[in-house]
Amino acid sequence: METKAVRKKEAKTSHQLHPLLTDEAKTFLYKLDEMFNSQRLHLLAVREERARQIADGQKLDFLPSTQRIRDYAHWSVAPIPEALQDRRVEITGPVDRKMIINALNSDAKVFMADFEDATSPTWENIISGQQNLYDAIRNQIDFTASNGKKYQLKKNRAVLKVRPRGWHLSEKHFQVQGRPISASLFDFGLYFFHNAQELIRSGSGPYFYLPKLESHEEARLWNEVFVFAQEELGVSRGTIKATVLIETITAAFEMEEIIYELKDHMAGLNAGRWDYIFSAIKKFRHDPEFILPDREAITMSVPFMKAYANLLVKTCHKRGALAIGGMSAFIPSKDEEVNKRAFEKVRKDKTLEAEAGYDGTWVAHPGLIPPVLEVFDPFLKGRKHQKHLLREDFTVMAPELTNPEIIYGQITEKGVRTNINVALLYIESWLQGTGAAALYNLMEDAATAEISRAQLWQWYHHHVEFKNGKILNKALFLRLLNEELSAAKKYLGAERTNTAKIDLAAILLEDLVMNKEFEEFLTLKAYPFL
């Protein structure tokens, strides 16, 4: 017999309660699940099999089966809307109300509202994020801070793009026949159902970023979702435009095929550098020749990263798509000397992207928009993009995408401590419900935290030796973990520490690092605790 407590708990978590989840919206979501979930699960199984093959020593290469797509000259993406032609600087962030207003009001050309790496997927964050976007699109959004400061939208604002969660994630608060729905289908479906027509009426459109794709088959599934959704709601085919993040090392070998599968809906590719580094570590974690050094040493000048970045530009421009550079995660500080050094690094990084032919790039903070525009404007010379730069001089062979050749970086105890500290603080923040955490003048999200914990797993299981001769064994790792846990608690203060989320973060990190089996995503491990 049901108790009142059980009924009360179910009522609190029921997806029936939010006004956006109308009967019509839920029916649309059920249809998406019925049409596409089985194929999603199949592709996730294909991912696992491919990972096993790589672990067994299979080399990554460009696909012989799709050679005709790469060789055939006479295809390109469908026309890209005027609103998405100028993307020289884009800002990204979570879907909270204040962030949405500030980002849309910034001088960025595009704002990517992120349900994925920058958002901790509590039900409150996800459903309120949908409501916030619904309100912003209808010019009915405002926000009053605790100090009384009011925020509201300006007339001229950035173009809105939305990043749903990846194919690997589920949304446990919306059940279909007793099981969680795909988070990708939920985020995309609810947003598209309520906002596609309103966006079109306002002169914009339903524009998306697609994360974590590992193959062109996964891109094909998204294309099928787009076609069905447009037909179901009476939207012209090709109205949806998507930019795909190339943030897995397997996708780097299928960029052209990914563009081809989505060519009617394609806006461009993005060099998702942080997830890309994580993906490389994850896929080659068993390879003793692919043990990467301290995180700070893995820059875009590293050979395998440089090859990937250049190939992305060439592939995009060959097919008429836009190439968007990676994230600058620096957050301006009150310390002017810190800012001076950081801005120099940002300008150097963005100059490399502009010289390579990128059409735009990402920043995590409005303070970075002016210096990034200063870098890109001289290269664009009044144009909106650099698609005329075809990079025909550049060629890349498969081994160049998987050979790190990092000769200047080493693994240090400081690097281990930094990874432990950042991973602890980020996981704690994520468990608290904040998916974009400002730590040490950097905006850390799930992607950067994944690099830290993946490196720790790799270094621990390969028993790496530091410059000082110490071996990273169980005793040393646990000592460093305990010491950095104490430092993290001091950093957080008593109020946050008393929630015990930092202690849970330490338990999760210890298991993520020491477990013989590598967890595909730390968010999958932590999701049950939200």
Side-chain angles (χ1 to χ4, degrees):
M1 183 176 179
E2 255 186 350
T3 66
K4 289 182 179 180
V6 170
R7 286 197 298 271
K8 185 177 180 182
K9 182 179 179 182
E10 288 179 348
K12 284 182 179 180
T13 60
S14 174
H15 59 261
Q16 308 288 335
L17 298 179
H18 196 275
L20 287 182
L21 286 158
T22 62
D23 289 343
E24 294 81 5
K26 288 188 288 186
T27 297
F28 182 65
L29 292 171
Y30 293 144
K31 287 182 179 179
L32 288 175
D33 177 86
E34 180 183 2
M35 292 287 295
F36 303 110
N37 191 56
S38 60
Q39 180 65 6
R40 176 185 77 96
L41 295 176
H42 167 72
L43 290 173
L44 292 178
V46 171
R47 278 189 188 183
E48 292 181 6
E49 177 57 30
R50 196 175 192 187
R52 283 192 290 269
Q53 292 170 354
I54 294 169
D56 289 339
Q58 185 180 89
K59 301 295 184 183
L60 287 175
D61 204 344
F62 301 100
L63 302 177
S65 60
T66 55
Q67 183 73 43
R68 58 182 178 79
I69 293 174
R70 299 193 298 275
D71 288 347
Y72 189 58
H74 302 294
W75 69 267
S76 61
V77 303
I80 297 172
E82 185 64 25
L84 294 176
Q85 292 286 344
D86 185 349
R87 299 173 61 182
R88 67 192 71 185
V89 61
E90 303 188 353
I91 191 167
T92 75
V95 288
D96 64 86
R97 212 164 179 84
K98 181 181 174 183
M99 176 71 203
I100 289 172
I101 296 171
N102 283 342
L104 288 173
N105 284 344
S106 73
D107 291 327
K109 303 300 182 181
V110 171
F111 165 49
M112 186 197 78
D114 189 15
F115 283 98
E116 219 230 8
D117 281 351
T119 293
S120 173
T122 66
W123 179 240
E124 173 60 27
N125 284 345
I126 295 299
I127 201 65
S128 66
Q130 290 278 353
Q131 184 69 59
N132 294 338
L133 293 173
Y134 179 97
D135 291 343
I137 289 164
R138 290 160 179 79
N139 297 310
Q140 59 192 36
I141 189 172
D142 57 25
F143 177 79
T144 302
S146 57
N147 62 4
K149 185 177 180 181
K150 296 183 181 297
Y151 299 80
Q152 57 188 29
L153 285 179
K154 298 189 301 188
K155 184 176 180 180
N156 297 318
R157 48 187 181 265
V159 175
L160 176 64
K161 293 176 74 76
V162 170
R163 177 161 71 168
R165 284 168 284 176
W167 283 132
H168 61 290
L169 295 170
S170 60
E171 176 47 69
K172 64 184 178 182
H173 297 96
F174 191 97
Q175 300 280 315
V176 181
Q177 297 179 343
R179 56 172 172 75
I181 195 172
S182 156
S184 301
L185 296 178
F186 181 85
D187 295 344
F188 162 79
L190 192 60
Y191 176 80
F192 185 80
F193 179 84
H194 284 293
N195 301 306
Q197 298 287 2
E198 185 65 28
L199 286 161
I200 294 165
R201 277 193 291 272
S202 67
S204 185
Y207 304 143
F208 296 92
Y209 259 101
L210 303 180
K212 304 289 192 295
L213 298 188
E214 295 202 8
S215 69
H216 69 283
E217 288 93 347
E218 294 182 18
R220 182 185 302 155
L221 179 57
W222 267 119
N223 194 70
E224 291 170 358
V225 170
F226 291 164
V227 170
F228 172 81
Q230 289 166 138
E231 291 178 351
E232 188 74 9
L233 297 187
V235 174
S236 299
R237 182 178 294 200
T239 300
I240 292 174
K241 293 299 176 185
T243 302
V244 174
L245 291 121
I246 301 300
E247 53 186 353
T248 67
I249 199 160
T250 53
F253 289 87
E254 302 181 37
M255 291 190 213
E256 205 155 351
E257 294 90 332
I258 287 170
I259 293 175
Y260 180 81
E261 294 293 347
L262 282 158
K263 62 183 183 297
D264 292 338
H265 302 101
M266 172 58 62
L269 303 181
N270 174 285
R273 63 174 74 174
W274 307 119
D275 260 307
Y276 190 79
I277 294 168
F278 163 57
S279 174
I281 297 168
K282 177 166 63 173
K283 287 293 189 282
F284 302 122
R285 62 186 181 272
H286 298 295
D287 186 349
E289 296 183 2
F290 205 94
I291 300 177
L292 299 184
D294 288 358
R295 182 176 122 174
E296 65 181 17
I298 313 171
T299 68
M300 297 308 291
S301 298
V302 168
F304 84 102
M305 295 297 291
K306 187 175 181 179
Y308 142 76
N310 284 316
L311 179 60
L312 190 147
V313 173
K314 179 175 183 176
T315 305
C316 284
H317 290 179
K318 177 183 176 182
R319 301 304 181 182
L322 292 157
I324 309 301
M327 170 67 77
S328 236
F330 175 68
I331 302 171
S333 166
K334 293 179 180 179
D335 186 326
E336 288 305 315
E337 190 57 37
V338 170
N339 282 347
K340 182 180 178 181
R341 291 194 300 269
F343 279 129
E344 286 176 1
K345 289 182 180 180
V346 170
R347 289 189 184 97
K348 182 179 179 181
D349 176 50
K350 297 309 171 188
T351 299
L352 287 174
E353 290 183 336
E355 287 176 340
Y358 277 88
D359 305 295
T361 192
W362 272 14
V363 298
H365 191 278
L368 292 184
I369 295 173
V372 170
L373 286 173
E374 288 174 10
V375 169
F376 269 85
D377 286 348
F379 285 89
L380 293 174
K381 299 177 181 178
R383 292 181 292 260
K384 294 181 177 179
H385 49 68
Q386 299 195 87
K387 288 196 292 184
H388 63 285
L389 297 179
L390 298 179
R391 297 299 309 272
E392 292 175 340
D393 59 316
F394 176 77
T395 58
V396 63
M397 304 299 289
E400 295 175 71
L401 290 171
T402 57
N403 184 2
E405 295 181 8
I406 303 175
I407 59 175
Y408 55 84
Q410 297 189 45
I411 301 164
T412 66
E413 183 174 322
K414 178 184 176 183
V416 175
R417 286 184 177 276
T418 297
N419 278 351
I420 292 172
N421 187 275
V422 168
L424 283 173
L425 289 172
Y426 180 78
I427 295 171
E428 189 273 345
S429 173
W430 195 89
L431 292 168
Q432 295 279 11
T434 299
L439 302 173
Y440 311 115
N441 298 121
L442 291 175
M443 186 62 75
E444 301 280 351
D445 65 8
T448 53
E450 287 283 31
I451 297 173
S452 292
R453 72 94 181 182
Q455 283 197 310
L456 290 170
W457 189 97
Q458 186 186 48
W459 296 342
Y460 177 81
H461 289 275
H462 284 277
H463 308 295
V464 297
E465 183 176 349
F466 302 148
K467 290 175 66 176
N468 60 14
K470 293 181 181 178
I471 303 293
L472 186 59
N473 54 25
K474 182 177 180 179
L476 179 57
F477 172 70
L478 290 177
R479 177 170 68 80
L480 296 179
L481 176 62
N482 286 328
E483 290 174 3
E484 292 306 317
L485 176 59
S486 296
K489 287 181 175 181
K490 185 176 180 180
Y491 179 90
L492 291 171
E495 186 176 346
R496 282 279 285 270
T497 299
N498 288 341
T499 66
K501 299 292 187 184
I502 188 63
D503 295 299
L504 176 56
I507 293 169
L508 290 170
L509 182 61
E510 180 180 336
D511 187 56
L512 286 164
V513 172
M514 296 181 66
N515 197 315
K516 184 178 179 181
E517 299 300 321
F518 185 91
E519 185 73 42
E520 279 291 294
F521 295 94
L522 70 81
T523 49
L524 290 175
K525 185 81 171 177
Y527 188 49
F529 298 97
L530 284 183

